[in-house]
Amino acid sequence: MKELLDAVRQGRAEDVPGLVKSSDAAGRKGVLGELKTLRAEARNWGWDQWEKRRRVHHALLVAGAGCHGGAAAAATWIGARDLRDWRQPPYGLLLDVLHDRDAAWLGDVAHRLAGRAATAREDYPLVHELVRRSGCPVPVTDGYVYGWVDELSRRGRRPDLSADPQAPVLVPRLFETAELADGLSWKEGWTEALVALPGAGAVERAVLVDGCVARLLRGGRASDLRFFLGLLRTLELTADEERARTADWMGLAADAPSTVAGHAQDVLSRLAASGDLSARRVAEVSASVLFRTEKKLVRAQLVLLGKVLRRDRDAAGELLPVVAEVFGHEDTALQERALKLVGRHLDAVGGEVRRELADTAAALLSPVHRAVATEVFGGLPDQVGADGPYEDLLPPVPEPQRVAPAARTLPELVEEVAALLRSGEEDVIDVERALDGLTRSAYEDLAALREAIMPLLADEWWWGEDRVNLRHVDGVRLVAAAAAGRVRLDDLRRVMRSGSDARCVHRRLERIREARAQEVAWRIMTEPLPFLLATPAWHTGTVEPAELVERLAAYGRLGAGPAECDVAQALLRVRRTGPGVAEAAEAAAALGTPEGTRLAGWLTDGELYGPGTREVVEMSGRGWAAAVPSGTGRIVVSTPGQPVIQREFPPAFRALGSPWSATGDGCHHWWATDGADLAVLPEDRETLAAWLLPVVTLAADADVRDVARPLPALVEAGGEAGPALHLALGCGLGARHTEDRLAAVDALLVLAAREQLDAARLGGDLAALVGLGTVKLNRLADSLRTAAATGAYATLWAVLASALPALLTADEPPRGLGGILAVAADCAERCGAAAQSRAGATVDGLDAVAARPGSSQVVVQARRLVNALRQPTGQPAS
């Protein structure tokens, strides 16, 4: 067998089949160990030996396949990923080396290879030939089906399935694979080839029809469904075929993507027209379709309901209550259609149904339709809460949550630290409590802490090193390693000296967290602190001034020397405005310590950072700005320097005091910040908003997800709610992804509930963002509609009243203006804007738009808004 091994080592794969065939079973089995050793050795060859490795891998693949006696072992060897590269495996040589195996063995190998999801598609040529030689049943795995489609799609002509013996088995599987086989979407001729199969007697027509319907019901990617919908349409179902699948069409109309749902609606319309769809079933499917967001589908369903009602007036009692649900649709034009439909058939229902419809109209209809509804029903019941001036329904102001004290016993502390090590230290409050707990425990009994903490760290991947590499650990891990005695002071001193890159605000904030953990570790190893001064009192990260004074007093009683980073972070976190601040400043001065005097001055100095400077900058394509098209203009807020921080704070903090302007240079962060960043400056949300604004803006003008997620936490923080915060809110409201827009809506409502929303400023910012192209109006309309629907109509009208003049008077009306006008009109109608403003009040540019001829959405909604602003709610629009 030496000759075989030499051929494999030299990469002479073409010689291997002959050498294997010349060996007996015992010889083949004996060489397997050497082949496995060479396989392991080849894994460690460098990239400079890539050509040698490729040739040896091919030889190993063929030799191992021929030397394994069992089908399972041979299939595992052939399918191994480490013996493959970007080139096709040597299938011809594999078939040659397996030539003398019996049919059952070959069939077993074929099915095992077809069942390997990672390689079955690539190995289709090999598996297909093994199936042919063995005469075994055709495999039906996803990978084999994908390979079959690939093979037929690569041919130059249209796939000829009628002549393919595998088609009767594999065609039904086309509708069942996890994903659409790629060739079906790009190779022309597949639809025609499949449709021709029933005529050739290869596949029953019901298989194709049922397969398409089942796949559409299952859902999936739009490109996948497009193929199956096209095939279904090409099949041109008969009336009997459509009737037999009525329940399926109902399910598709209710839940499928709009294109598929539209086709199902068309089928249901035909069934209704032929009398094959009962009124009960029409009501059932309509109850779902009329709640869909696609206006086209809702309009089509109302048309269908109208046809059914004209043909069968006795169905009015069952169908009109379903139609009335459209009274609550966001589109007032659809409300009007539904109201007219109800009015045409109202005389066909009894008094109880009529009262039910009137109640629904009173509760759901937009005020613009109330006058017409009153005529239709002969009066409407009074709305609950209609008396008195309108008031917004805003969410309750979030109550700050007290941070629980640090663990008081060693077992509790170890349990909390263990949870943080497993979770990756995600929650800033949990991290702060753990740091404080480790500090307290080390002060009380460092030896006991070390004994308790050692078993936790033994499972950490870095624990086996002679000394902990400080590049691998930070935060709680670093402090725990220091408590365990595995950190060297020289290493710690070296990293503690580093400052921060002032150009990147994320690095500024991140360096504060690093410096604090490093300082805590240092003090544990040298002079343990009794506790930490900067531990937050509230979930936002804020420290109460009176509590900080008491902590400093306790330090004085214990004769402890504060740590400079801990003091610096405490100053940045302490509440500087509101009740009790003046008293705390006096108490701090009375302590007679340098730290007390410093705190007293800090509490009386007022605003930490001066006002920012708003400007429009052109993106340079550097750093995070690389995600934005070059030359795009953006609104940013630059922040001034803070001399006190630069002069008096530790080196790690001084970058916080440097002036900052958003250019993207030096910053490569384009992902969401976390609570730890916000907790560094919990009383300076305006500064944080200015620093985070460029990344939050990526939610609107780039395909970046989740970067608006911190907005609710930001508005819950302390400090001024100024230009930067409102700009960040505006960018979030115009975000590309729904989850980012919902986070911005939550933030907007919380800011309004706290009575800190400047509606005129936000409206002006939104108009400016739209003008620059940062925010698209259709996304903004979705956000504002969602916010208004919570009951904040007056708040949203105040915002829109400030945004609309610039939008209406722009040289070219922005796309989506009609949607924004619709939201504005709805808000104005529901909050009674006409009654709240002087007679004849309007919005600059609105009259000119409303006076245009035509019936576009922009003109119709402008007229609606004009009427809402100039006459009492409920009067008919002109």
Side-chain angles (χ1 to χ4, degrees), residues 120 232 329 405 476 487 520 526 541 599 667 676 681 717 783 820:
L232 187 64
H329 198 280
V476 173
V487 176
V520 171
T526 57
L599 174 59
C667 178
L681 290 170
S783 296
I820 284 289

Side-chain angles (χ1 to χ4, degrees), residues 490-500 511 518 651-652:
D490 287 344
D491 294 342
L492 196 53
R493 183 184 294 110
R494 191 177 306 113
V495 297
M496 288 175 68
R497 291 173 182 161
S498 63
S500 176
R511 180 65 191 121
Q518 291 161 4

Side-chain angles (χ1 to χ4, degrees), residues 319-595:
L319 297 183
L320 290 188
V322 178
V323 175
E325 294 301 322
V326 183
F327 293 166
H329 198 280
E330 64 186 38
D331 189 332
T332 55
L334 290 175
Q335 293 183 18
E336 183 180 9
R337 281 174 177 256
L339 182 58
K340 289 179 178 179
L341 182 58
V342 169
R344 282 196 295 269
H345 300 279
L346 192 61
D347 58 348
V349 300
E352 184 177 348
V353 175
R354 181 187 291 264
R355 285 191 295 273
E356 177 187 342
L357 294 172
D359 289 342
T360 304
L364 300 180
L365 271 176
S366 169
V368 73
H369 297 312
R370 286 186 62 81
V372 175
T374 301
E375 294 178 6
V376 169
F377 295 104
L380 291 178
D382 293 333
Q383 292 177 276
V384 177
D387 297 334
Y390 169 85
E391 291 185 8
D392 269 353
L393 296 176
L394 295 172
V397 177
E399 293 290 335
Q401 304 298 314
R402 266 285 179 180
V403 174
R408 297 304 187 190
T409 66
L410 195 52
E412 291 177 8
L413 175 63
V414 170
E415 184 177 349
E416 291 184 7
V417 171
L420 277 175
L421 295 181
R422 287 194 298 269
S423 68
E425 305 182 15
E426 294 181 358
D427 186 89
V428 60
I429 299 302
D430 290 343
V431 170
E432 289 286 347
R433 291 182 63 253
L435 291 177
D436 191 34
L438 289 167
T439 298
R440 292 172 183 269
S441 185
Y443 182 79
E444 295 168 1
D445 190 342
L446 180 57
L449 174 62
R450 180 168 298 170
E451 181 180 354
I453 211 77
M454 290 278 276
L456 286 184
L457 302 180
D459 293 333
E460 294 289 314
W461 66 271
W462 43 265
W463 182 248
E465 304 173 4
D466 293 337
R467 62 177 182 178
V468 174
N469 188 331
L470 299 189
R471 291 178 300 178
H472 297 162
V473 294
D474 58 10
V476 173
R477 282 179 169 79
L478 172 60
V479 176
R486 298 298 292 271
V487 176
R488 294 191 180 183
L489 287 175
D490 287 344
D491 294 342
L492 196 53
R493 183 184 294 110
R494 191 177 306 113
V495 297
M496 288 175 68
R497 291 173 182 161
S498 63
S500 176
D501 186 352
R503 297 176 300 172
C504 177
V505 295
H506 304 83
R507 184 61 191 142
R508 291 183 182 189
L509 299 169
E510 186 180 60
R511 180 65 191 121
I512 304 303
R513 303 197 300 274
E514 293 174 354
R516 286 198 65 227
Q518 291 161 4
E519 183 183 69
V520 171
W522 177 272
R523 291 299 293 264
I524 282 178
M525 298 168 65
T526 57
E527 185 185 355
L529 297 165
F531 53 84
L532 295 179
L533 298 171
T535 302
W538 303 103
H539 77 283
T540 59
T542 296
V543 175
E544 280 296 311
E547 293 181 25
L548 183 53
V549 172
E550 177 53 36
R551 292 174 189 178
L552 289 173
Y555 262 62
R557 292 191 296 270
L558 295 170
E564 61 174 2
C565 288
D566 190 31
V567 172
Q569 178 63 95
L571 292 177
L572 294 177
R573 283 180 172 167
V574 70
R575 180 170 57 82
R576 302 187 302 277
T577 58
V581 173
E583 294 82 351
E586 293 178 4
L591 292 176
T593 63
E595 290 76 19

Side-chain angles (χ1 to χ4, degrees), residues 692-707:
L692 302 178
L693 176 60
V695 175
V696 174
T697 308
L698 292 173
D701 63 6
D703 191 14
V704 180
R705 189 185 296 269
D706 279 345
V707 288

